[in-house]
Amino acid sequence: MLDWNPALYRRYEDERTRPAQELLARVPLSGAAHVVDLGCGPGNSTELLANRFPTAKVVGTDNSEAMLASARERLPQARFELSDIATWAPQDQAPDLIYANAALQWVPDHEQLIPRLFAALAPGGVLAIQMPDNREEPTHRLMRAVAAEAPWAEPIGDADRLRTLLLPLGGYYDLLAPAAARVDVWHTIYQHPMADAAAIVEWVRGTGLKPFVDRLPADLQASYLAEYERRVELAYPARTDGKRLLAFPRMFIVAQKKA
């Protein structure tokens, strides 16, 4: 997959940062010495962590050099490292907080990944996770539907493999509860007013649509996006003010290790 585009991601930064704020608000720590932001992107979530824990060593990790460059420019006092969440492990001290906002949905094998991350915490530490849960929303069903048709199907391949299948929310509770002091799980459906169908397409181009478009040669990208936008136009009717409401479900998991 081609590198991520920080500018495209930041175009809807306020909307993307709101879940990050709400996740952090439920983290039951009065202080922390070492905080890790897994999949930090352009640093918007890392900035929240640095403000919440001003004396902590804050480390952001991402697998995108472009995102890390943007994060370093935004937050020069933090440390940012190139890493793959699938194999990441703390290099020195165990973190008091491992925070992953809209990142783990790209990483497979959650049955092994989530317990491994939880085990890496310091005693009393917290694992805080937010993941989009929008696979069955029209935006994402239509990505797969268009990708299954000619002429896009062959270069895209199996669309179901382009994103990790999440567990049910209770599945994450069950993974963590036996070893945790407490586990807090919840589900929120955000409703984002969008100017038009093109704005919805622009939103998802920065994240979920990217793996589909990246697999297409340049001459097929435009036709795929045009057909996708046509179907999004039908799936999200205009409201009374002319805008479209983009429903965006997200799941949240906060688990604290025993002291």
Side-chain angles (χ1 to χ4, degrees):
M1 190 164 68
L2 300 176
D3 206 351
W4 295 89
N5 183 336
L8 187 58
Y9 185 91
R10 286 197 306 265
R11 208 160 291 166
Y12 295 99
E13 183 171 307
D14 287 348
E15 292 87 347
R16 298 190 196 281
T17 303
R18 179 180 166 189
Q21 293 169 328
E22 294 177 5
L23 175 65
L24 184 56
R26 299 280 279 270
V27 169
L29 292 175
S30 58
H34 183 200
V35 173
V36 177
D37 186 8
L38 288 183
C40 63
N44 54 314
S45 54
T46 321
E47 187 171 36
L48 297 176
L49 297 171
N51 290 339
R52 167 80 180 266
F53 302 107
T55 63
K57 178 177 74 173
V58 177
V59 179
T61 78
D62 206 279
N63 65 355
S64 164
E65 291 282 14
M67 286 291 198
L68 289 171
S70 180
R72 291 182 182 112
E73 183 178 347
R74 177 185 194 131
L75 205 63
Q77 70 271 32
R79 194 170 94 202
F80 292 97
E81 301 173 345
L82 185 71
S83 72
D84 182 348
I85 294 172
T87 56
W88 175 87
Q91 297 302 305
D92 38 32
Q93 70 190 103
D96 301 296
L97 173 61
I98 297 175
Y99 179 93
N101 180 67
L104 300 192
Q105 74 275 11
W106 298 108
V107 187
D109 300 324
H110 282 195
E111 291 88 345
Q112 287 73 46
L113 174 70
I114 302 301
R116 179 176 65 78
L117 293 176
F118 188 72
L121 290 165
V126 172
L127 175 64
I129 299 165
Q130 182 274 121
M131 294 181 289
D133 189 22
N134 50 7
R135 181 179 173 82
E136 296 308 318
E137 290 299 308
T139 46
H140 287 62
R141 286 191 285 105
L142 292 173
M143 289 176 197
R144 300 192 299 273
V146 178
E149 298 177 6
W152 311 290
E154 184 175 349
I156 289 176
D158 184 0
D160 284 331
R161 295 175 62 87
L162 298 185
R163 183 156 152 183
T164 298
L165 285 173
L166 302 184
L167 303 176
L169 193 56
Y172 292 102
Y173 182 93
D174 290 341
L175 281 176
L176 292 161
R182 55 176 161 172
V183 181
D184 184 12
V185 296
W186 71 100
H187 195 267
T188 299
I189 302 177
Y190 296 86
Q191 300 286 342
H192 299 293
M194 308 295 288
D196 50 28
I200 294 175
V201 175
E202 182 182 57
W203 171 298
V204 296
R205 277 199 72 178
T207 52
L209 193 61
K210 185 179 186 308
F212 294 81
V213 176
D214 282 356
R215 282 165 170 74
L216 292 170
D219 61 324
L220 290 181
Q221 288 185 7
S223 61
Y224 175 87
L225 289 169
E227 177 59 19
Y228 176 67
E229 184 175 327
R230 185 187 72 81
R231 299 191 196 188
V232 167
E233 173 79 30
L234 297 174
Y236 291 90
R239 313 309 303 181
T240 53
D241 61 355
K243 294 182 179 180
R244 317 299 171 100
L245 269 183
L246 175 63
F248 204 122
R250 296 178 183 268
M251 64 168 63
F252 296 77
I253 304 139
V254 176
Q256 186 165 29
K257 202 171 185 179
K258 295 172 184 176

